[in-house]
Amino acid sequence: MTNFKIAAASILLAGSFSTEAFAPSTIRSPTQTNNLRKIQLHACNQDNNDLVESFKAIARKSQKFVAASVLASALFFQSTPVSAADYNSMTDEQKAVAEAWRIVDNNFIDRTFNKQDWFKIRQDAVKTKYKSMNEAQNEIEKIVGSLGDKYTRYLPPAKYRSIVDSATGTLAGVGVEISTDSKGNVIVADTEPSSPASNAGIKKNDIFIEVDGEKFNDGKSTPDDVAARLRGPEGSKVGVVVERDGKIQDFIITRQPITITSVRSYMSDKGGVGKVGVVRIKSFSGTTAQTVSDALDELKKKGAEAFVLDVRGNPGGLLPGGVDTASLFLPADKPLVFVVDKKGTQDNQATYKDGSYLDTPLVILVNGNTASAAEVMTAALKENGRAVVVGEQTFGKGIIQTIRQLGYDNGGVAVTVARYETPLHNNINKAGIPVDIESKDCDNDDAVVCVPSSALKK
């Protein structure tokens, strides 16, 4: 199995998910981090979830600045100070634009740059006289946006700082996971037990109307927009207005540091099958596989005849978490995932030993919000013939980003740098993984209710 030795800090960039909660950490400050010239991370998630998870991984080893992590949505977090000789004649605003252009030029997977004259874009941009840094930042956003890749984007200073702050423990949250519904509303995907949000009365599927005085019912707001407003200093209060069953409800919630419980297990029963052990995985981290393994052991001791891995709404996380979890159920030398970079170089990852759970019937429960690292795990088990996939077609996030910090507090740039393929070399990006057995709109907290008995039999 590939060994990953990558120091990192990251952000999750893909479609429609975010989280405002994070675990307190002892990671070094952004200033200290800037001293590390190449801090690289691969991430696998949608929008900004992986960043928090990646920082948490680093925090566990922060004194050495090491995180072993590759995610299916992925990132570099790198300070790139402006020092090239040809920059000396430029204004600070022109330097900022040139720096952002250079980062994209060095990393973007589409070497046609959306079939544009990429060098002319730079030439024109650095000749422009900008009246302010704000104008330069708008130009950066325009240049990055011209690439036609929604995951390659400019992160303004406020957004970049909020991500760093949330991951390094200088901000707190209320303990909710955020997603979007079929109508594009930003909703509460879940609440962490005993969190400030849960204690205040916030419930799953509540629609965000307003947070901290800012409206979010315009149809254009994203989960990340809401998450940014929910974060704030520990002990501070935030006003939250939600819609529930057509009625408006107001809450005043005190922000606190949040530790997310990413794995939960329980026993259920299914007619014609018997006892079924369920492991709910909300996101993947570097410790997920071991936590899942421990849970499976306990469920087996309690008499589980079959297992269900519930990854509904799981936006991803650290790729090793997804890959290693899949390895628990597969024999040695089985393909897991292929990562292809901008040069077409392919990194092949496979199991290196037999897993501990090779025979027990296994179902993976997914939905349209299952993405990235969760899709990597699902595809690995489905295409190796080990699991039956039940639910709805998954999200379809199969590309990898890098995030680079810009100098002079100008935020950062997220750039798509690679893509991944399933064991059968399927490219699931924008397509998702088809299920074996369809089970639509099943939102029951007991995953077994959503799974037919036939899927749980050998």
Side-chain angles (χ1 to χ4, degrees):
M1 193 171 191
T2 304
N3 290 321
F4 303 106
K5 296 181 179 179
I6 305 172
S10 71
I11 178 174
L12 169 132
L13 297 172
S16 57
F17 295 83
S18 185
T19 178
E20 53 74 38
F22 61 92
S25 68
T26 56
I27 187 169
R28 301 194 183 196
S29 69
T31 301
Q32 291 171 305
T33 304
N34 288 344
N35 294 328
L36 194 59
R37 285 291 171 254
K38 290 188 178 180
I39 303 178
Q40 173 181 345
L41 168 78
H42 288 297
C44 178
N45 206 321
Q46 301 190 70
D47 255 26
N48 295 336
N49 278 335
D50 285 340
L51 176 59
V52 174
E53 195 56 65
S54 304
F55 269 111
K56 286 161 64 178
I58 301 172
R60 288 189 286 269
K61 298 182 179 180
S62 60
Q63 299 306 313
K64 296 183 179 179
F65 280 83
V66 173
S69 55
V70 174
L71 299 104
S73 170
L75 324 157
F76 295 103
F77 177 92
Q78 178 176 359
S79 174
T80 52
V82 179
S83 59
D86 64 330
Y87 278 20
N88 292 335
S89 61
M90 297 182 186
T91 66
D92 288 345
E93 291 79 11
Q94 290 169 331
K95 289 177 181 179
V97 174
E99 181 187 16
W101 180 94
R102 185 178 69 250
I103 290 172
V104 174
D105 180 60
N106 288 341
N107 295 282
F108 192 49
I109 189 170
D110 176 10
R111 304 315 292 168
T112 73
F113 298 92
N114 201 23
K115 299 179 181 179
Q116 300 180 100
D117 188 338
W118 185 238
F119 287 94
K120 185 177 186 304
I121 288 176
R122 179 192 187 279
Q123 193 173 35
D124 293 343
V126 298
K127 287 181 178 178
T128 300
K129 301 297 182 182
Y130 302 100
K131 296 179 181 179
S132 65
M133 189 59 76
N134 186 59
E135 277 194 7
Q137 291 169 358
N138 289 338
E139 180 67 16
I140 294 171
E141 186 170 16
K142 177 183 175 183
I143 290 172
V144 175
S146 74
L147 296 167
D149 173 20
K150 67 179 180 180
Y151 301 122
T152 297
R153 58 177 178 158
Y154 171 59
L155 301 173
K159 171 168 277 192
Y160 185 85
R161 283 195 301 270
S162 73
I163 292 168
V164 173
D165 288 344
S166 69
T168 55
T170 57
L171 289 179
V174 300
V176 296
E177 293 179 31
I178 310 169
S179 182
T180 53
D181 63 15
S182 59
K183 297 179 181 179
N185 297 312
V186 182
I187 65 169
V188 177
D190 203 358
T191 60
E192 188 66 18
S194 301
S195 65
S198 179
N199 292 338
I202 296 289
K203 294 184 178 181
K204 183 177 179 180
N205 294 322
D206 282 352
I207 300 172
F208 286 102
I209 302 298
E210 182 179 322
V211 177
D212 208 22
E214 184 173 343
K215 301 286 187 181
F216 291 108
N217 58 343
D218 57 0
K220 299 178 181 179
S221 299
T222 68
D224 186 65
D225 294 332
V226 176
R229 299 299 291 181
L230 287 171
R231 301 183 189 115
E234 180 181 352
S236 63
K237 296 185 183 299
V238 58
V240 178
V241 180
V242 302
E243 179 183 329
R244 182 187 305 161
D245 299 326
K247 298 180 180 179
I248 300 299
Q249 300 197 33
D250 297 270
F251 301 90
I252 301 296
I253 306 173
T254 302
R255 298 179 175 105
Q256 296 177 7
I258 306 296
T259 301
I260 294 294
T261 305
S262 60
V263 177
R264 180 173 66 91
S265 62
Y266 58 92
M267 190 72 79
S268 188
D269 290 286
K270 192 72 173 181
V273 178
K275 293 183 177 181
V276 179
V278 181
V279 180
R280 172 85 170 96
I281 307 173
K282 296 169 72 173
S283 64
F284 289 96
S285 70
T287 62
T288 298
Q290 184 59 57
T291 305
V292 170
S293 179
D294 293 342
L296 294 171
D297 285 344
E298 288 300 313
L299 292 168
K300 199 68 176 176
K301 289 177 183 177
K302 295 177 181 178
E305 300 289 337
F307 293 130
V308 173
L309 298 181
D310 182 2
V311 289
R312 291 173 296 175
N314 183 325
L318 298 182
L319 181 60
V323 167
D324 292 346
T325 300
S327 298
L328 296 174
F329 302 94
L330 295 171
D333 301 319
K334 291 293 183 179
L336 292 165
V337 67
F338 301 94
V339 178
V340 185
D341 68 14
K342 65 182 181 181
K343 297 180 181 179
T345 303
Q346 185 170 279
D347 175 24
N348 308 333
Q349 299 178 39
T351 56
Y352 66 94
K353 67 177 182 179
D354 288 347
S356 301
Y357 311 95
L358 302 181
D359 301 316
T360 306
L362 178 65
V363 166
I364 305 174
L365 184 61
V366 300
N367 64 10
N369 293 333
T370 301
S372 290
E375 290 178 296
V376 170
M377 182 201 74
T378 300
L381 293 172
K382 173 184 169 68
E383 295 187 359
N384 280 295
R386 177 62 184 91
V388 176
V389 180
V390 176
E392 306 168 32
Q393 185 122 339
T394 63
F395 181 84
K397 177 66 166 63
I399 55 176
I400 296 170
Q401 281 77 47
T402 180
I403 285 188
R404 299 288 182 91
Q405 181 181 13
L406 296 174
Y408 301 104
D409 194 30
N410 279 313
V413 180
V415 187
T416 296
V417 296
R419 61 182 174 84
Y420 72 82
E421 296 177 357
T422 68
L424 295 181
H425 290 284
N426 290 313
N427 181 357
I428 68 164
N429 196 49
K430 298 182 180 180
I433 301 170
V435 298
D436 299 310
I437 301 174
E438 193 171 63
S439 177
K440 282 191 173 182
D441 301 320
C442 187
D443 198 32
N444 199 293
D445 287 338
D446 184 355
V448 175
V449 172
C450 306
V451 178
S453 299
S454 59
L456 294 164
K457 297 178 180 179
K458 291 185 179 180

